[in-house]
Amino acid sequence: MMKLVKKNKFTIIIVVLFVFFMFGVSEIKKVFFAHDGAVYGDRLVGKVEVKKETYDQLKEGIQAKEKVESVEVRESGRLINILITVAFDTSLDDAKKTMDGVLDIFTDSQKGYYDFHVIVRKNDAAENNFPIMGSKHHNSSIFVWSKDREKTDINQTDTNQ
């Protein structure tokens, strides 16, 4: 037996290294490429469904507000993302008021399950105090808006050169 081991020492070392290498590759594959299940894992267990009609009513409710040009709504996991484009003469306060009362079309269980994220933007590039962002956590009853930014002159040059 010792003669066989001494004679094939190099081959045995190669086979043992190959086995360890294959074991390492399989473990790395399990850690980094284990996507056999759902994208969100078990975070969506007990998901509260929202019908397409509810999203259509949400769009119509926001679109009916004065100075709103367009509305996009997307659901992603436990988030409902709303992108609102407003007219060029809309103030920050008017933009924030676009969400007043529109979530009343959702049931309490839907409002308690989903987080709502709102982005209000203008197509006017000169209005650099937009976009503004608002969020409503599923445990909260109100939107929290991003800090107001002061409108600055985009043609202003830096005098500290």
Side-chain angles (χ1 to χ4, degrees), residues 41-126:
D42 62 353
R43 290 176 285 175
L44 299 181
V45 171
K47 181 178 180 186
V48 178
E49 294 295 326
V50 178
K51 295 181 180 179
K52 183 182 181 319
E53 293 82 22
T54 305
Y55 288 129
D56 291 340
Q57 288 177 349
L58 175 66
K59 285 182 185 179
E60 290 170 7
I62 297 171
Q63 191 75 44
K65 304 272 181 157
E66 188 179 341
K67 299 184 179 186
V68 173
E69 293 180 352
S70 67
V71 179
E72 295 177 35
V73 178
R74 279 181 242 148
E75 177 185 322
S76 177
R78 294 183 74 149
L79 298 175
I80 296 178
N81 297 307
I82 306 166
L83 176 63
I84 303 170
T85 305
V86 294
F88 72 93
D89 61 341
T90 306
S91 69
L92 286 171
D93 290 333
D94 289 341
K96 291 176 184 180
K97 289 179 184 174
T98 57
M99 291 306 295
D100 288 351
V102 295
L103 295 185
D104 293 341
I105 61 170
F106 290 96
T107 65
D108 288 338
S109 62
Q110 290 168 337
K111 287 188 264 187
Y113 182 81
Y114 289 98
D115 291 343
F116 293 86
H117 293 266
V118 180
I119 298 175
V120 182
R121 67 178 181 176
K122 289 184 184 181
N123 287 331
D124 186 6

Side-chain angles (χ1 to χ4, degrees), residues 3-4 6 17-18 30-31 33 54-55 69 71 79 82 94 96 104 116-117 124 135 138-140 152-153 158:
K3 261 188 183 180
L4 182 66
K6 284 183 182 182
L17 288 175
F18 180 75
K30 285 180 191 175
V31 170
F33 302 106
T54 305
Y55 288 129
E69 293 180 352
V71 179
L79 298 175
I82 306 166
D94 289 341
K96 291 176 184 180
D104 293 341
F116 293 86
H117 293 266
D124 186 6
S135 296
H138 61 271
N139 290 333
S140 177
T152 58
D153 184 8
D158 187 13

